[in-house]
Amino acid sequence: MRAAIIPVTPLQQNCTLIWCTATMRAAVVDPGGDLPKITAAIARAGVTVEKILLTHGHIDHAGAAKPLADSLGVPIEGPHEDDRFWLARLDEDGRQWGVEGHVFEPSRWLVEGDTVRVGELVLDVYHTPGHTAGHVIFHHAPSNFAQVGDVLFQNSIGRTDLPQGNFPQLIESIVTKLWPLGDATAFIPGHGQPSTFAHERRHNMFVSDRVLAQ
């Protein structure tokens, strides 16, 4: 498995290209915008994109999903249907944030326990509400890798002050869904630098073991 981060939109969202090295089949995770940058990264990697995966429906993660899917002729999988609220307002939010947004419905809504395939890779889906109601993450156990969207960041967590955000729910998602995946898990967040669950359990001021024990 390989992954390449492609920062997109004025919010510098980590769109990620992940691919199976055995088949060179790939998925684009959270294409929020800047399609020329995304297509250039696909060409550099020399991969064939077979689907788009979405962690949640915010404009910086999903704004360009429809035009990219249309141009590549591939399906969109995710997020959980509880994020229908956000996908239905992508055009409106795009105008507000100065980012192009296209309303759509994914080819497949995802739920807890689903899997998604990329080439020969099989990623497990976990429903992780709190930042949004329908947020999901993708975990590839053989690689100790997770794509966590805006649930967890290096030394921080996702914001919960937007509509349908819920701080206690976000903390519960991190503790009950992410931590059991193991300290060795490396993750790419929706913004900022990659990290590991071990680092966050030691140093994150919101969800470290020490903070949560207080």
Side-chain angles (χ1 to χ4, degrees), residues 84-106:
R84 182 185 289 274
F85 166 83
W86 288 106
L87 297 183
R89 52 181 284 168
L90 285 171
D91 52 352
E92 175 186 341
D93 287 343
R95 289 190 294 270
Q96 178 181 344
W97 291 94
V99 176
E100 192 171 352
H102 300 267
V103 172
F104 67 94
E105 181 165 319

Side-chain angles (χ1 to χ4, degrees), residues 14 113 121 169 199:
N14 286 337
L121 306 175
Q169 197 174 48
H199 175 88

Side-chain angles (χ1 to χ4, degrees), residues 17-20 23-27 41-50:
L17 180 68
I18 62 173
W19 68 94
C20 168
T23 63
M24 298 303 284
R25 307 287 289 184
I42 294 168
R44 282 195 303 272
V47 297
T48 300
V49 173
E50 60 183 14

Side-chain angles (χ1 to χ4, degrees), residues 8 17 23 45 52 70 95 123 196:
V8 297
L17 180 68
T23 63
I52 292 167
D70 289 346
R95 289 190 294 270
L123 286 74
T196 67

